[in-house]
Amino acid sequence: MAISHSARLSPLQGETVWTLDGDAITETRGRRARRFELARLKSLQSAEGGAILTFARGRLTIPAMSYTRGLRPENRAASFAAFVGAVAAAAAVTTPGARFRNAGTPLAEPLTWMIGLLGGGALLLLLFAATAGAWTLGVALAARLVFVMILAAGALPWLNRSGQNMDAN
């Protein structure tokens, strides 16, 4: 049984249907059809809003949202999640070298490191400025580092820290 997901990419275009047929994904829009072999899949990046599949010769973007007749967005997350899960499971069998990951996860760890390094740098700057006798200059420069650290810490809750690599099975 072939699993499929459909979405209307634009209010002016017809509906696009992605179908998983064994070892290939077929994208059909009107009379035009493109076929992507899972054996040539290099990576699959998934997020709540869509997925990006990178192949040896091209890239396939599959959104989770669609347009309805009234030009309103429609969330088709249920069929999207089922389709991407099936693609990941089929690709894990067909292409063992492909990378699978959630697109929202890679920024949280480097941002946490950046916050820690900025805090350590601000403390060292205060220490070196105090030993050189330029306490006010050290406080002024450290305040700028702490401001950037606060901005980075403010962005941290919006990052998807709970996402793990997609389980292909």
Side-chain angles (χ1 to χ4, degrees), residues 118-139:
L118 281 172
L123 288 176
L124 283 175
L125 186 71
L126 282 174
L127 176 73
F128 290 145
T131 57
W135 178 254
T136 56
L137 179 63
V139 169

Side-chain angles (χ1 to χ4, degrees), residues 94-127:
T94 309
T95 315
R99 296 181 322 178
F100 304 98
R101 69 178 179 94
N102 287 333
T105 60
L107 291 178
E109 188 176 348
L111 189 63
T112 306
W113 275 98
M114 186 185 85
I115 291 169
L117 290 174
L118 281 172
L123 288 176
L124 283 175
L125 186 71
L126 282 174
L127 176 73

Side-chain angles (χ1 to χ4, degrees), residues 6-164:
S6 62
R8 193 175 192 147
L9 304 176
S10 166
L12 303 175
Q13 294 178 347
E15 193 166 63
T16 304
V17 179
W18 296 273
T19 308
L20 178 63
D21 297 321
D23 63 342
I25 298 173
T26 306
E27 178 186 57
T28 308
R29 183 183 306 149
R31 289 182 277 158
R32 185 176 150 230
R34 295 191 310 172
R35 187 172 168 86
F36 296 93
E37 298 289 330
L38 287 179
R40 298 180 184 260
L41 181 69
K42 289 186 174 185
S43 70
L44 183 138
Q45 299 175 7
S46 177
E48 290 179 21
I52 298 172
L53 288 81
T54 306
F55 291 90
R57 291 188 175 188
R59 200 168 116 163
L60 179 63
T61 304
I62 303 172
M65 299 292 286
S66 179
Y67 285 100
T68 61
R69 292 187 184 258
L71 300 179
R72 293 192 176 113
E74 178 186 7
N75 190 357
R76 296 186 179 177
S79 68
F80 170 76
F83 181 75
V84 170
V87 167
V93 173
T94 309
T95 315
R99 296 181 322 178
F100 304 98
R101 69 178 179 94
N102 287 333
T105 60
L107 291 178
E109 188 176 348
L111 189 63
T112 306
W113 275 98
M114 186 185 85
I115 291 169
L117 290 174
L118 281 172
L123 288 176
L124 283 175
L125 186 71
L126 282 174
L127 176 73
F128 290 145
T131 57
W135 178 254
T136 56
L137 179 63
V139 169
L141 293 175
R144 286 165 174 77
L145 284 176
V146 170
F147 177 71
V148 173
M149 185 177 72
I150 291 170
L151 288 177
L156 197 57
W158 278 279
L159 298 176
N160 184 8
R161 291 184 282 162
S162 63
Q164 300 296 324

